[in-house]
Amino acid sequence: MSTEKGPDHSRRKERSRQAILAAARALVTEEPYEKVTLEAIAARAGVGKQTIYRRWPSKSAVVVAALLALSEDADGQSVTLPDTGDLRADLGLVMRATAEEFADPSFDKLIRALNTEIVNDAALAAEYREKLAVPLDEAKKARLRRAQKAGQLAADVDLDLVLEMLYAPLFLRWLHRSGPLTPAYADALVAATLRAFSP
């Protein structure tokens, strides 16, 4: 028995996984979410439906995995925020990138599909928080803690509240489609947040 069969099998499984996740992302951006099926995902990925079921129990689980895969770091490094020493500039860079991402039609459809699922599925919501939201929040708070040590934020500030003030208005505007997600809007959120929490 060839010793290469193990690694080859692993590579094949990973190729199938990536194909399934890419197919799910593509279909969700092309079709109304309710019309996307596991059969269609399997056909687009070039795999059998059972290949999907061996890894994920439902369409919604595949969609969550497809979104999580977008944040995978090929080098296995943890997420970090820019740190030039200028908190306003660093947060501005991150918030403008976030606004641009949410304004992108493909990402918009994927994240709306995800929200459709997690709002009614506590288990999926918990998985999303554990695997994506919490690690991202911790990376953001690490940057804010450094700003506190540098005297750029009040020492006793609630960092979770800082993040909510930064991100919640942007998310609400996106969710309700109530206004454009522009760089100027992102900068305004940063300026207002820093005014509220400066020492």
Side-chain angles (χ1 to χ4, degrees):
M1 189 171 180
S2 171
T3 57
E4 293 184 0
K5 284 189 177 179
D8 285 347
H9 180 65
S10 296
R11 281 194 292 270
R12 246 190 336 269
K13 283 177 67 175
E14 180 57 20
R15 279 196 301 271
S16 292
R17 185 182 81 92
Q18 293 294 342
I20 291 164
L21 299 180
R25 285 192 296 270
L27 285 167
V28 164
T29 63
E30 294 167 10
E31 302 284 345
Y33 180 71
E34 62 275 8
K35 292 187 176 180
V36 177
T37 64
L38 282 177
E39 289 83 357
I41 294 171
R44 174 71 67 93
V47 301
K49 193 166 70 168
Q50 286 307 313
T51 300
I52 296 179
Y53 274 122
R54 278 196 291 272
R55 189 180 288 264
W56 298 284
S58 64
K59 178 180 77 172
S60 56
V62 177
V63 171
V64 170
L67 179 64
L68 293 174
L70 291 176
S71 68
E72 289 176 354
D73 188 331
D75 297 324
Q77 302 296 316
S78 59
V79 176
T80 56
L81 266 65
D83 189 351
T84 64
D86 184 336
L87 181 62
R88 182 182 295 266
D90 293 343
L91 290 180
L93 183 66
V94 171
M95 291 300 290
R96 286 191 296 272
T98 302
E100 182 180 4
E101 187 174 49
F102 273 76
D104 178 83
S106 295
F107 185 80
D108 173 85
K109 289 190 78 171
L110 180 60
I111 201 73
R112 285 186 190 279
L114 172 69
N115 276 273
T116 297
E117 293 298 330
I118 65 175
V119 76
N120 293 312
D121 189 327
L124 278 175
E127 181 182 7
Y128 172 77
R129 276 205 56 75
E130 176 192 347
K131 293 183 177 177
L132 184 63
V134 169
L136 284 175
D137 282 352
E138 287 305 314
K140 295 166 189 172
K141 286 192 281 189
R143 176 65 186 93
L144 295 178
R145 286 187 196 99
R146 292 193 294 275
Q148 283 180 307
K149 289 180 181 176
Q152 297 172 329
L153 285 177
D156 61 349
V157 73
D158 180 337
L159 297 183
D160 288 308
L161 184 58
V162 175
L163 292 182
E164 287 171 5
M165 284 193 66
L166 267 175
Y167 286 91
L170 188 148
F171 182 80
L172 192 64
R173 178 177 281 209
W174 166 80
L175 183 65
H176 292 171
R177 306 180 198 269
S178 58
L181 301 178
T182 61
Y185 179 64
D187 288 342
L189 292 177
V190 172
T193 302
L194 291 182
R195 278 197 302 272
F197 295 108
S198 292

